[in-house]
Amino acid sequence: MKKSYILALLMVIGAVCLVYFSSDQEVARYRSFAEASTTGTSVKLVGTLVKDKPMDYNPLENPDLFSFYLKDEQGTERRVNLTQAKPQDFEMSESIVLSGKMVGEEFLATDIQMKCPSKYKDEESMIKELTES
C-alpha cells in the first residue's frame, strides 16, 4: 500500500476519534439540585423561573451578579446566583438551562440559556382552532 493511502487512513481515523470524544463531552444530561449537591462539580440543570420570589439585580453595586429562584424538574426550588448581568426578557422565559455548581444551599451559575416563548405560538393555536371547526 502506498504511504499516502496509509497517511490518509490515519487522518480519517484521527478525525473520527476527535469528533467522537469532543461530542461526548458536550452531550450531558441535565441534573437536579440534589444531584448537583452530591457531585461538587460543574453540572447543567434545567428548570423554570419562580416568579413569585424576588429577583435581585443592582447593576450599580455589582453588574455581574443576578440572583433569582429556580424550580428544577423534580420540583425543588433553590436560589441561583448568576455571575452575569440580568438577561433581557428574563421574566418571559419558558425554561432556563444553567451551567454551574452548588455552593452550600445556593446554585452558582456561570452560564445561562433561556427558552423564550415562540412568537408564532398564538398563531399556531388560532390556525389549529380554525382547521378543527
Side-chain angles (χ1 to χ4, degrees), residues 32-34 47-48 50 69-78:
S32 65
F33 284 121
T48 55
V50 181
Y69 285 85
L70 188 85
K71 181 186 287 189
D72 68 10
E73 292 178 317
Q74 280 68 40
T76 305
E77 291 182 12
R78 292 274 188 255

Side-chain angles (χ1 to χ4, degrees), residues 56-127:
D56 299 318
Y57 181 61
N58 186 346
L60 298 176
E61 186 177 307
N62 187 350
D64 293 326
L65 180 63
F66 171 50
S67 299
F68 58 95
Y69 285 85
L70 188 85
K71 181 186 287 189
D72 68 10
E73 292 178 317
Q74 280 68 40
T76 305
E77 291 182 12
R78 292 274 188 255
R79 182 179 172 92
V80 174
N81 296 312
L82 176 65
T83 57
Q84 296 178 9
K86 180 181 177 185
Q88 186 176 359
D89 298 330
F90 181 74
E91 294 84 359
M92 294 182 355
S93 63
E94 287 183 354
S95 67
I96 301 169
V97 177
L98 299 171
S99 297
K101 63 181 182 176
M102 292 296 293
V103 177
E105 293 295 312
E106 299 180 344
F107 190 80
L108 180 62
T110 55
D111 191 40
I112 186 170
Q113 296 175 340
M114 299 181 308
K115 180 182 177 193
C116 294
S118 171
K119 66 180 182 179
Y120 304 108
K121 197 172 194 177
D122 292 334
E123 292 175 18
E124 289 173 2
S125 61
M126 191 177 351
I127 292 171

